[in-house]
Amino acid sequence: MNHLDLLTFARGTALNWALVIFVLGITLRLFEIFGLGRKADLAKPRSNSCGNGWRTMFTRSLPPEGMLKREPVTYIAGYIFHVGLLAVIFLFAPHIEFFRSFFGFGWASLPSALVDALVVASILALGVLLAHRLNNPVKRMLSGFGDYLAWAATLLPLLTGYMAYHHLMFEYTLMLALHIFSVELLLVLLPFTKLFHTFSVFISRWYNGDIFGRKGVAS
Amino acid sequence: MSATLAKGINSFKDVIDAPIASFFSSCVHCGLCAEACLFYTETGDAKYTPIHKLEPLRRVWQQEYTLLGKLGKALGLSKPITDEELAEWEPLVYDSCTMCGRCAMVCPVGNDLTYMIRKMREGMSASGHAPADLVGATTRAVNLGSPMGIKWPAVLAQIKHVQDETGIEVPVEKSGVDYLVLMSSMEIINFPEYLSALSRIFKQAGVSWTLAQDAFEATNSGIQIGASDLAREIVSRIVIAAERLKVKCVISPECGHAFTALRWEGPNLMGKAYTFDVKHILEVLDELRSAGKLKTNGKDKRPLTYHDPCQIARRGGVIEQPRHILGDIAADFREMPDAGKMNWCCGGGGGVSANSRAEPLRLEVFKHKKGQIEATGVKTLVTACANCRIVMEESLEHYHMKVEVIGLTELLAEYLVEDKAL
Ligand code: SF4
Ligand code: SF4
């Protein structure tokens, strides 16, 4: 198989299978959560509106009072990584072209040089977060194989993408194929690791906002 | 009811619902919840990380309610829950969690860890891994009507004392009144000032109220230990009395967990909505104040601060009311850092103060509150929970701090304008 065949496979069959597993996995995990149900709360709420949940979905993205000072590394590196990653996935011109071929429509992109900088920042942030995970006693205690796997699976697409773009290490076609494989690995792992928080975070934050909101507290 | 591991695990399975599944699914192991928890911040010991306290419950969720977990279990790859493990977790779930809810405000993915600890305690107690002191308190509450073993004659003695002191009749078993007043064990034993303050305030405000002979105690240790059947039994006494006396509203006393038990958990334990309202005493006082029925005269000159009881503020939504009242009667009111919904716990909530084994740890984690009080420079600490109050009094004494702790209701009564002609 030459490099072009490999790229064709990565873009075709492999991508299709990865997407199938991704979509089925997400669906399964959502069923696993919602299938458990939730008893109706019979206590008279102070405020009975699903808006409490929606509000927390957004407000929880900001650090609560005093927390930024207590854990600056987690917050700052965390923000850089998340913002960088999302911008790179959705606002890099070649990615938008991919989405256009997939969905039939596209949107405006960020300048490539900016995306490039964001990738570097995200990779550095991931490095800092790993070092912090290994050094901080709480994080180290909480971490297991799944955490390091999720970390590596997130790093690979950034790294391979960066190398493909800058024509580093391997020939471009091969590097691009590797980049696409790494994204597929991420898609397959996402539903079954903590990376699933990409989706479930909206559910858990909603419940949090709802539970506190009923008691009259904005959380 | 005999407790066994199987019962405990069944109970773990029972309590896991969609919110809990979403919480475990979302956790990214960032460790931020530890930074919110006084048991971690004051000891630096990683084992006090809130999400870690839930590890056995998480494994039950994973093994029973996720495909991969079920697969792992079928292949014999997963680690089963054992009695030894639950015994090891008992101090984490009970001694080092006051169910203060701070971690739940901080977790970036929105996990309500406190909700989970509360649920996890159901399985802990069903498997026989609840602290002996809490089991004793709950048994007394069910058999005698009060966790501290207080019986009606003790309340009657206090009523008599209050009547002699104030010259105001304390109504008992009055039907059709607006409010049924409850007390906490702590108030009956240690703080008779509460009942006397309330009699005076209610007389001035022209409020109709009563005590009930078979439901005078609001403390619910069934909730703290995590035994819903017992908690229901304790709540049902209040519900029956409120319905029999046809009151409009039941007033939860200056006690945090009693409020949570009665206001938020009660209807769910009973399986039906209440036919009456439940309010914390501070809510009632603030309402009377807004309606112009509560007149005060003069202000306390002492610099003072207010400790938000977690279950009243963060888990109860009563945050502004005490500040309104203090605005009327305190000349030099100083807020502690993080006051209000992000307050720091006294260290004794959620059954910790009733658990003698936890005492050294409780005193250690009080260091946070100690620092906060010192930062304000006050010598007077006002609060609205008799449990916080006794815990803080003990801790202040332990640290040789000369700070007086008072209940807000009682402080308010000191500045009440009393029309003796009423
Ligand atoms: S703060 Fe939330 S996401 Fe982070 S470790 Fe604690 S429970 Fe998990
Ligand atoms: S509820 Fe409070 S005491 Fe319990 S784990 Fe959370 S922060 Fe710590």
Side-chain angles (χ1 to χ4, degrees):
Chain A
M1 207 188 250
N2 63 29
H3 293 171
L4 194 62
D5 289 344
L6 199 64
L7 182 61
T8 315
F9 173 69
R11 277 185 166 153
T13 318
L15 181 63
N16 288 338
W17 277 108
L19 284 173
V20 166
I21 296 173
F22 175 74
V23 171
L24 287 181
I26 299 289
T27 315
L28 169 76
R29 294 298 318 274
L30 292 177
F31 268 105
E32 281 174 359
I33 293 175
F34 291 121
L36 281 164
R38 183 194 189 199
K39 282 208 190 98
D41 182 3
L42 300 169
K44 195 163 124 201
R46 287 192 200 277
S47 132
N48 191 9
S49 137
C50 55
N52 296 317
W54 290 96
R55 183 188 49 213
T56 300
M57 242 189 232
F58 294 97
T59 55
R60 202 43 81 91
S61 301
L62 301 170
E65 259 173 77
M67 285 300 291
L68 187 60
K69 227 163 70 202
R70 287 201 76 92
E71 257 303 310
V73 180
T74 305
Y75 278 105
I76 296 171
Y79 277 127
I80 295 178
F81 158 71
H82 278 94
V83 170
L85 184 72
L86 286 177
V88 171
I89 295 175
F90 294 108
L91 299 175
F92 182 46
H95 292 167
I96 297 171
E97 282 319 304
F98 169 80
F99 290 123
R100 193 194 302 282
S101 71
F102 203 81
F103 298 120
F105 59 90
W107 48 86
S109 63
L110 287 180
S112 294
L114 180 59
V115 173
D116 202 39
L118 286 172
V119 170
V120 174
S122 296
I123 291 175
L124 290 177
L126 271 179
V128 169
L129 288 169
L130 179 67
H132 196 40
R133 188 167 286 289
L134 292 168
N135 275 318
N136 178 297
V138 169
K139 287 193 207 241
R140 199 171 52 230
M141 176 193 70
L142 293 177
S143 305
F145 174 72
D147 295 272
Y148 299 107
L149 178 69
W151 180 87
T154 316
L155 176 72
L156 280 178
L158 285 166
L159 208 61
T160 52
Y162 181 82
M163 294 191 335
Y165 182 73
H166 290 277
H167 297 267
L168 297 173
M169 201 132 101
F170 298 123
E171 179 270 324
Y172 178 72
T173 317
L174 176 60
M175 203 65 229
L176 190 60
L178 290 178
H179 175 59
I180 296 172
F181 282 132
S182 72
V183 172
E184 285 155 4
L185 179 70
L186 184 69
L187 286 175
V188 169
L189 288 178
L190 191 142
F192 306 105
T193 56
K194 71 173 186 182
L195 299 172
F196 183 58
H197 78 273
T198 317
F199 290 83
S200 64
V201 68
F202 299 106
I203 307 169
S204 45
R205 282 184 183 179
W206 190 90
Y207 282 131
N208 184 297
D210 188 63
I211 294 170
F212 273 102
R214 296 178 148 269
K215 298 182 161 102
V217 175
S219 68
Chain B
M1 189 189 74
S2 65
T4 61
L5 179 63
K7 278 187 187 153
I9 292 179
N10 272 331
S11 160
F12 282 152
K13 285 194 225 166
D14 272 354
V15 297
I16 294 172
D17 55 5
I20 294 186
S22 78
F23 298 153
F24 283 134
S25 298
S26 287
C27 177
V28 289
H29 291 165
C30 67
L32 288 172
C33 48
E35 301 294 336
C37 177
L38 72 169
F39 289 93
Y40 172 73
T41 60
E42 302 316 300
T43 63
D45 190 335
K47 74 177 182 206
Y48 296 130
T49 302
I51 191 72
H52 180 64
K53 296 171 187 169
L54 292 153
E55 182 54 20
L57 184 68
R58 188 196 65 81
R59 289 222 314 284
V60 170
W61 160 75
Q62 192 193 29
Q63 292 169 15
E64 301 294 333
Y65 298 119
T66 71
L67 181 69
L68 283 189
K70 277 187 251 184
L71 225 64
K73 193 179 164 196
L75 295 174
L77 296 172
S78 50
K79 191 168 134 209
I81 313 287
T82 61
D83 258 318
E84 292 70 47
E85 184 182 10
L86 294 185
E88 190 189 334
W89 247 260
E90 182 191 314
L92 295 179
V93 179
Y94 289 97
D95 304 21
S96 70
C97 179
T98 59
M99 297 206 274
C100 77
R102 225 176 164 270
C103 49
M105 292 295 281
V106 158
C107 168
V109 298
N111 290 353
D112 189 342
L113 297 129
T114 320
Y115 176 89
M116 295 200 274
I117 297 258
R118 161 69 186 91
K119 298 282 187 182
M120 181 169 172
R121 287 186 181 184
E122 292 282 333
M124 294 299 282
S125 82
S127 63
H129 293 288
D133 288 348
L134 288 188
V135 176
T138 312
T139 315
R140 280 191 297 277
V142 170
N143 297 338
L144 304 173
S146 152
M148 293 171 91
I150 299 162
K151 295 191 195 148
W152 178 249
V155 183
L156 216 50
Q158 200 187 101
I159 293 175
K160 192 171 173 309
H161 170 84
V162 167
Q163 294 188 150
D164 289 349
E165 180 202 315
T166 60
I168 301 167
E169 189 209 334
V170 173
V172 174
E173 291 294 318
K174 284 247 164 67
S175 196
V177 294
D178 287 346
Y179 297 106
L180 169 63
V181 166
L182 305 175
M183 289 183 282
S184 64
S185 317
M186 293 285 188
E187 278 155 344
I188 302 171
I189 296 184
N190 295 315
F191 307 120
E193 309 87 291
Y194 176 71
L195 189 59
S196 129
L198 216 58
S199 310
R200 290 168 54 208
I201 293 169
F202 282 177
K203 179 169 185 216
Q204 290 306 312
V207 163
S208 66
W209 63 289
T210 188
L211 290 176
Q213 224 169 2
D214 50 357
F216 51 85
E217 164 72 67
T219 318
N220 193 327
S221 39
I223 300 239
Q224 301 181 335
I225 192 176
S228 280
D229 47 342
L230 304 180
R232 182 183 315 120
E233 170 92 28
I234 299 170
V235 161
S236 72
R237 287 183 195 142
I238 299 169
V239 175
I240 292 168
E243 286 173 352
R244 176 179 39 132
L245 296 171
K246 301 188 183 59
V247 298
K248 293 199 188 86
C249 177
V250 174
I251 303 183
S252 191
E254 288 203 354
C255 171
H257 287 275
F259 184 61
T260 287
L262 190 60
R263 175 70 175 86
W264 308 113
E265 293 231 16
N268 296 310
L269 291 168
M270 301 298 293
K272 59 172 195 201
Y274 290 157
T275 53
F276 47 88
D277 286 334
V278 172
K279 286 181 182 156
H280 185 259
I281 179 65
L282 293 187
E283 293 180 81
V284 176
L285 294 178
D286 190 45
E287 279 171 17
L288 294 174
R289 180 190 157 277
S290 309
K293 291 185 180 164
L294 238 182
K295 300 242 162 19
T296 57
N297 183 21
K299 287 192 176 192
D300 203 306
K301 301 275 179 318
R302 294 171 291 183
L304 47 83
T305 188
Y306 176 71
H307 164 77
D308 284 285
C310 308
Q311 303 301 314
I312 308 290
R314 182 164 42 246
R315 300 298 270 190
V318 181
I319 296 174
E320 292 310 316
Q321 293 88 335
R323 281 143 181 111
H324 295 160
I325 298 169
L326 284 168
D328 287 348
I329 59 170
D332 186 0
F333 171 55
R334 305 175 186 178
E335 286 282 17
M336 282 184 268
D338 298 333
K341 70 179 184 186
M342 288 304 285
N343 83 306
W344 291 81
C345 180
C346 66
V352 173
S353 65
N355 175 357
S356 53
R357 183 181 65 198
E359 191 181 310
L361 183 61
R362 164 164 71 77
L363 289 168
E364 189 180 354
V365 302
F366 182 75
K367 281 186 308 193
H368 199 98
K369 198 90 246 168
K370 174 176 180 279
Q372 289 194 303
I373 299 168
E374 283 165 351
T376 60
V378 304
K379 294 279 173 242
T380 309
L381 180 57
V382 183
T383 192
C385 168
N387 186 57
C388 293
R389 182 171 170 183
I390 201 105
V391 163
M392 293 194 295
E393 279 178 354
E394 277 180 33
S395 312
L396 288 162
E397 195 183 304
H398 174 82
Y399 286 105
H400 308 293
M401 288 167 75
K402 298 240 168 321
V403 175
E404 187 196 3
V405 190
I406 38 182
L408 183 48
T409 309
E410 181 194 325
L411 185 68
L412 174 64
E414 274 183 45
Y415 294 91
L416 189 71
V417 178
E418 277 178 288
D419 182 350
K420 294 288 177 199
L422 276 177

